[in-house]
Amino acid sequence: MPELLTADRIDEIGALGLKSPDPAAFVAELVGAVDEGRVADPDDTGYALLVAADILEQAGDLADALALATRAIAEQPDDNAYARAVRGGLLLRLGRSDEGLTELTALRPLLETDPEATYVVDELAESGHAETAVEWLTGALDVLLDRSRDQQHASEDAQDEAAAMIYGLARQRHDLREELGLPHDEHDNLADRLRDAASHALDALDDGPATLLFWPKPEFDALLVRWPALTESYPSTWDEHRAQTERALVDASGIGGGVGLGIVTGSVKGLSALVGADPIDEDTLDEYADSLDGAGVTAWPPGRNDTCWCGSGAKYKKCCLPRSRS
Ligand SMILES: [Zn+2]
Ligand SMILES: [Zn+2]
């Protein structure tokens, strides 16, 4: 029976492929599985092609990367904004500026509605169009700030979501302008104030939903073996565990409550020391998470280009950030 390409394997290649001495073998594995209809979940077809495109791009083969990104768009006609952004970025890097800007400009309105759409701006910034990236962020930020002024009567959830988007855009804009050597303007001061508010809230915190207990892969596997009853509280795979953690943080990231967010990292040894032979339930997990607060909270979110909080070694923007979208 032919071997199926699972989402876990695509993730694994995504994390390893860029460092591999033989990236072509990974590209062949991904594209081969797509060609032969061996992608375990057909919805992952576009994802497999984009990971292959990314490996080719890093290896300097932009033309073949572009062909795969174009194919990824065709494979998922209903949900291809990210693939189109990747294609736009590749066109810009290939010097086909008009086509690249056309592709990305079509996605620009997403900046005002989709909290994850900042990848559109990443593609601009990483292909020598940082000024345009700043301009688009400024435009979206102005729209969202205006909208939030008119939205005093909106539901708390809607206000939190708007606040989280404003924070995300202002922060990305702040960092890009800093790289361009531009002085702080009003929006940059806003980004700094929001960041300070978030970190103060984190300092002041001793429990509540703001720190999440996260288990690195080997610990997660050992945890469910040692306490099988925890399969009630956790998903069956580590991959789903980190995706859930990222999603929970995204959901909680409305700054309406002034909450700073972070992750504490669990270990089977540490949990054993706390509970001894007692059985474990969700309260025990909360108590354990609280006991870890002093040991160090990893602030969330990391920078888009920083190493991901989950420990995969990949950049956040290529790892758990996109994972929260699925
Ligand atoms: Zn600043
Ligand atoms: Zn990650």
Side-chain angles (χ1 to χ4, degrees):
M1 203 184 127
E3 204 181 326
L4 292 178
L5 180 70
T6 63
D8 278 353
R9 178 61 182 155
I10 304 174
D11 282 345
E12 191 180 20
I13 294 175
L16 295 174
L18 310 180
K19 292 164 220 143
S20 162
D22 186 14
F26 283 132
V27 172
E29 181 179 339
L30 294 166
V31 177
V34 173
D35 285 343
E36 292 158 23
R38 286 187 288 103
V39 182
D41 178 349
D43 287 347
D44 290 330
T45 302
Y47 176 41
L49 291 169
L50 288 176
V51 168
D54 193 37
I55 295 172
L56 286 172
E57 181 184 344
Q58 302 296 320
D61 185 354
L62 298 182
D64 285 338
L66 179 67
L68 291 183
T70 305
R71 191 170 163 192
I73 295 170
E75 291 282 352
Q76 43 188 69
D78 301 322
D79 176 24
N80 59 18
Y82 181 66
R84 282 155 62 203
V86 170
R87 179 169 192 274
L90 283 163
L91 287 166
L92 291 179
R93 261 157 263 164
L94 280 160
R96 292 162 62 177
S97 302
D98 289 351
E99 289 166 86
L101 283 172
T102 302
E103 190 83 80
L104 292 174
T105 302
L107 302 170
R108 182 177 174 180
L110 291 177
L111 289 172
E112 295 164 18
T113 56
D114 177 357
E116 307 302 339
T118 44
Y119 54 76
V120 175
V121 168
D122 282 336
E123 293 295 343
L124 281 174
E126 286 164 17
S127 56
H129 293 75
E131 278 91 356
T132 308
V134 170
E135 192 185 309
W136 288 16
L137 286 167
T138 307
L141 199 50
D142 285 340
V143 168
L144 285 169
L145 286 168
D146 274 353
R147 200 185 291 160
S148 79
R149 270 176 219 116
D150 300 339
Q151 232 187 18
Q152 309 294 347
H153 303 292
S155 73
E156 207 167 304
D157 280 357
Q159 291 192 20
D160 282 356
E161 194 181 314
M165 279 183 73
I166 287 169
Y167 186 26
L169 293 173
R171 195 176 150 148
Q172 192 180 13
R173 181 180 178 280
H174 170 284
D175 294 353
L176 264 179
R177 284 173 48 89
E178 200 159 75
E179 278 169 35
L180 288 169
L182 296 168
H184 271 48
D185 65 6
E186 213 180 299
H187 286 340
D188 291 329
N189 293 333
L190 171 70
D192 282 341
R193 281 202 308 279
L194 294 175
R195 185 176 306 191
D196 288 349
S199 70
H200 284 146
L202 189 61
D203 288 346
L205 196 90
D206 51 14
D207 67 303
T211 46
L212 286 189
L213 179 57
F214 172 70
W215 303 88
K217 175 117 178 52
E219 298 294 336
F220 183 80
D221 294 340
L223 179 78
L224 297 186
V225 172
R226 170 89 166 68
W227 291 286
L230 286 180
T231 48
E232 304 274 314
S233 309
Y234 285 111
S236 55
T237 66
W238 179 72
D239 216 48
E240 187 51 28
H241 171 51
R242 62 177 165 163
Q244 277 186 359
T245 306
E246 174 74 15
R247 251 178 258 130
L249 288 159
V250 170
D251 286 348
S253 65
I255 48 165
V259 182
L261 297 166
I263 295 146
V264 289
T265 303
S267 73
V268 169
K269 210 172 145 197
L271 184 57
S272 292
L274 179 76
V275 298
D278 294 342
I280 290 189
D281 58 16
E282 300 232 6
D283 287 344
T284 328
L285 290 174
D286 286 349
E287 194 188 324
Y288 176 54
D290 286 350
S291 77
L292 291 172
D293 266 9
V297 175
T298 306
W300 180 95
R304 304 174 64 79
N305 286 308
D306 292 345
T307 309
C308 191
W309 58 263
C310 78
S312 66
K315 285 182 179 182
Y316 175 54
K317 72 177 181 193
K318 301 233 156 139
C319 186
C320 287
L321 176 63
R323 199 162 273 120
S324 69
R325 278 180 227 138
S326 55

